[in-house]
Amino acid sequence: MKWLIIIAIALALGGVFVWLADFEPGFVLVQYGQWTLETSLIVFTVAWLILLLLVYFTLRSLAVIKSTPNRLSQWQENQRHKRAIKALTNGLITLEEGRWAEAERLLLRHAGNSETPLLHYLAAARAAQKQQAPERRDSYLKLAHETTPSADIAVGVVQAELQLSAGQKEQALATLQHLRQVAPKHPYVLQLLQQLYQETDQWQEVQSVLPDLRKRHVLDASSANALSAEATVGQLQNALIRQEWQRMEQIWLQSPAKIRQSEHVLKTYVNGLLLQGEQQQAMQLIEEYLRKNWSDALIYQYGKILQGGLLKRLATAEKWLKQHEENPWLLLTLGRLAQANKLWAKAEAYLRASIEHGPRGETYQALAEVLMAQDKRDAAANVYKQGLDVMLQNNPNKVI
């Protein structure tokens, strides 16, 4: 369209010049020394325009010739970039298809000519990881960092992910701790650290990273509370295994009240108290919890404590029966408390009800002991046999 307009304008101007030449050709005289040029105005004008066009195209041609090497170099560079982009695309597709060796080769072929060598080397590192080649993987990660120094965090994150997937937890921990120093607010780094601390049972470190996980909204409130409870349980269990009672008490006192009211936290702490012989404190904590909540595990622990106002405790437990009349754990605890109070008939009734709603080997054992106390030896022997059958069914591989 542009050229049509130019041609139309040229034809119009040409027509005007022809008309002027026919109507009034004009006269031009140019004299320089002994040299004289005489012609019509129209011819002179046309010749002058042709001269200007020749000069323009000559200068333009010289400029094009001069810029040809640069333009050729730019074209070649563009072609190399296109090949690199194509190699990256094919390499990523091949990587997703699971052809690791071919993907590695494609990704490296034109990495040096790419505008984004970082992507080539990071993907090549993943391909090498899939081929169980950690040395090549680390080499590609090093190249990724060297070609794009500003991507230190991205390279570090990929390195940590690959180390974790390879089971190199110590190396991954070192990488993530370095990244946390470089970018202490990076949410994904915090998340990877939290997961690694959990896997390695470093519960104190989990607690240390929790405030940042909350601030960066890596975890919502409920997930953060659940993780805090899990970390507290982990710390209590570690202290319990080592029998570090002062450390266990310190962890308990430092925990928020909401965490102390978590069933798993309380159950672990109560286990520690029972191992220390702190029966009274354990009993009080369980009763406080069961006034507002319910826990099969805690009611079971309550039945293992056979001291401290047994009749009163039996009456307390019987109040819970109103809302949990078919709960086998509560019925077992009631049977044990009645047994401890030598209320044999009541103990037998509770234990048989517990077996009816959830037979367990230890319930049969408690019932057999109650029957023996009543001098019902044949019935006790039969109950022992039934309990043994239940235990063998639940643990068929157990060696007696």
Side-chain angles (χ1 to χ4, degrees), residues 343-356:
L343 301 173
W344 309 122
K346 181 175 281 194
E348 181 179 349
Y350 282 137
L351 292 170
R352 288 191 183 279
S354 177
I355 290 171
E356 181 183 348

Side-chain angles (χ1 to χ4, degrees), residues 297-317:
L298 289 172
I299 196 63
Y300 174 78
Q301 287 178 316
Y302 192 72
K304 301 286 282 186
I305 305 172
L306 300 178
Q307 55 181 269
L310 290 171
L311 274 174
K312 182 180 178 182
R313 290 178 55 214
L314 177 60
T316 300

Side-chain angles (χ1 to χ4, degrees), residues 225-279:
N225 290 335
L227 180 59
S228 180
E230 184 182 357
T232 303
V233 169
Q235 291 182 83
L236 289 172
Q237 285 177 337
N238 289 339
L240 191 151
I241 291 170
R242 300 185 180 93
Q243 296 190 355
E244 297 174 347
W245 309 127
Q246 289 184 349
R247 173 60 181 157
M248 192 180 77
E249 186 68 16
Q250 181 185 16
I251 294 167
W252 173 257
L253 294 174
Q254 289 177 348
S255 300
K258 190 174 183 179
I259 296 299
R260 291 204 297 266
Q261 284 301 305
S262 165
E263 177 186 0
H264 297 299
V265 173
L266 183 57
K267 181 182 70 173
T268 307
Y269 183 63
V270 165
N271 279 337
L273 291 175
L274 294 177
L275 286 174
Q276 297 176 73
E278 298 289 342
Q279 313 279 356

Side-chain angles (χ1 to χ4, degrees), residues 30 40 71 73 79 93 102 125 129 148 151 163 203 215-216 242 271 274 283 293 300 308 326 347 355 364 371 374 400:
V30 179
S40 67
R71 296 177 68 181
S73 176
Q79 291 301 112
I93 293 172
E102 185 179 353
Q129 170 90 342
T148 317
Q163 288 169 338
W203 298 110
K215 287 180 183 177
R216 310 303 162 205
R242 300 185 180 93
N271 279 337
L274 294 177
M283 191 169 53
N293 310 282
Y300 174 78
E326 295 183 355
I355 290 171
Y364 280 101
L371 292 172
Q374 299 177 78
I400 305 286

Side-chain angles (χ1 to χ4, degrees), residues 173-245:
L173 181 59
T175 301
L176 290 170
Q177 287 175 338
H178 166 72
L179 287 174
R180 194 183 182 192
Q181 291 177 348
V182 175
K185 300 179 181 180
H186 197 287
Y188 189 50
V189 171
L190 294 171
Q191 184 179 359
L192 289 176
L193 261 177
Q194 168 238 314
Q195 293 172 355
L196 182 55
Y197 285 143
Q198 279 184 270
E199 291 176 10
T200 53
D201 291 333
Q202 298 186 54
W203 298 110
Q204 189 171 351
E205 298 299 332
V206 172
Q207 289 283 28
S208 70
V209 82
L210 253 175
D212 287 331
L213 290 172
R214 284 193 175 98
K215 287 180 183 177
R216 310 303 162 205
H217 305 290
V218 177
L219 298 175
D220 56 31
S222 60
S223 298
N225 290 335
L227 180 59
S228 180
E230 184 182 357
T232 303
V233 169
Q235 291 182 83
L236 289 172
Q237 285 177 337
N238 289 339
L240 191 151
I241 291 170
R242 300 185 180 93
Q243 296 190 355
E244 297 174 347
W245 309 127

Side-chain angles (χ1 to χ4, degrees), residues 19-271:
W19 178 79
L20 288 174
D22 184 59
F23 178 75
E24 179 58 57
F27 177 78
V28 174
L29 175 64
V30 179
Q31 184 174 3
Y32 183 75
Q34 300 297 321
W35 183 81
T36 303
L37 173 64
E38 182 179 341
T39 184
S40 67
L41 177 61
I42 297 302
V43 172
F44 179 80
T45 302
V46 171
W48 178 251
L49 290 174
I50 291 172
L51 179 61
L52 288 177
L53 288 173
L54 287 173
V55 171
Y56 170 77
F57 283 115
T58 300
L59 294 175
R60 181 72 180 269
S61 299
L62 291 173
V64 169
I65 293 170
K66 185 178 180 181
S67 64
T68 296
N70 291 333
R71 296 177 68 181
L72 179 61
S73 176
Q74 185 66 40
W75 178 82
Q76 291 174 336
E77 185 176 354
N78 289 337
Q79 291 301 112
R80 287 194 293 268
H81 288 163
K82 287 180 181 179
R83 286 194 292 270
I85 292 172
K86 185 177 180 180
L88 176 60
T89 302
N90 292 335
L92 291 174
I93 293 172
T94 308
L95 181 65
E96 293 301 321
E97 291 176 351
R99 294 181 282 152
W100 320 123
E102 185 179 353
E104 183 180 355
R105 179 177 57 81
L106 287 170
L107 290 164
L108 294 175
R109 180 183 293 174
H110 297 290
N113 298 322
S114 176
E115 292 181 328
T116 54
L118 174 72
L119 300 180
H120 290 258
Y121 290 124
L122 291 181
R126 295 187 185 277
Q129 170 90 342
K130 293 293 185 180
Q131 299 172 77
Q132 308 298 320
E135 292 182 358
R136 292 208 309 273
R137 175 202 69 191
D138 293 341
S139 174
Y140 299 148
L141 290 171
K142 183 179 179 182
L143 287 170
H145 177 69
E146 290 175 351
T147 55
T148 317
S150 59
D152 182 45
I153 296 174
V155 175
V157 166
V158 173
Q159 184 176 16
E161 287 179 332
L162 295 176
Q163 288 169 338
L164 285 171
S165 65
Q168 297 174 312
K169 294 184 178 180
E170 291 184 4
Q171 294 91 325
L173 181 59
T175 301
L176 290 170
Q177 287 175 338
H178 166 72
L179 287 174
R180 194 183 182 192
Q181 291 177 348
V182 175
K185 300 179 181 180
H186 197 287
Y188 189 50
V189 171
L190 294 171
Q191 184 179 359
L192 289 176
L193 261 177
Q194 168 238 314
Q195 293 172 355
L196 182 55
Y197 285 143
Q198 279 184 270
E199 291 176 10
T200 53
D201 291 333
Q202 298 186 54
W203 298 110
Q204 189 171 351
E205 298 299 332
V206 172
Q207 289 283 28
S208 70
V209 82
L210 253 175
D212 287 331
L213 290 172
R214 284 193 175 98
K215 287 180 183 177
R216 310 303 162 205
H217 305 290
V218 177
L219 298 175
D220 56 31
S222 60
S223 298
N225 290 335
L227 180 59
S228 180
E230 184 182 357
T232 303
V233 169
Q235 291 182 83
L236 289 172
Q237 285 177 337
N238 289 339
L240 191 151
I241 291 170
R242 300 185 180 93
Q243 296 190 355
E244 297 174 347
W245 309 127
Q246 289 184 349
R247 173 60 181 157
M248 192 180 77
E249 186 68 16
Q250 181 185 16
I251 294 167
W252 173 257
L253 294 174
Q254 289 177 348
S255 300
K258 190 174 183 179
I259 296 299
R260 291 204 297 266
Q261 284 301 305
S262 165
E263 177 186 0
H264 297 299
V265 173
L266 183 57
K267 181 182 70 173
T268 307
Y269 183 63
V270 165
N271 279 337

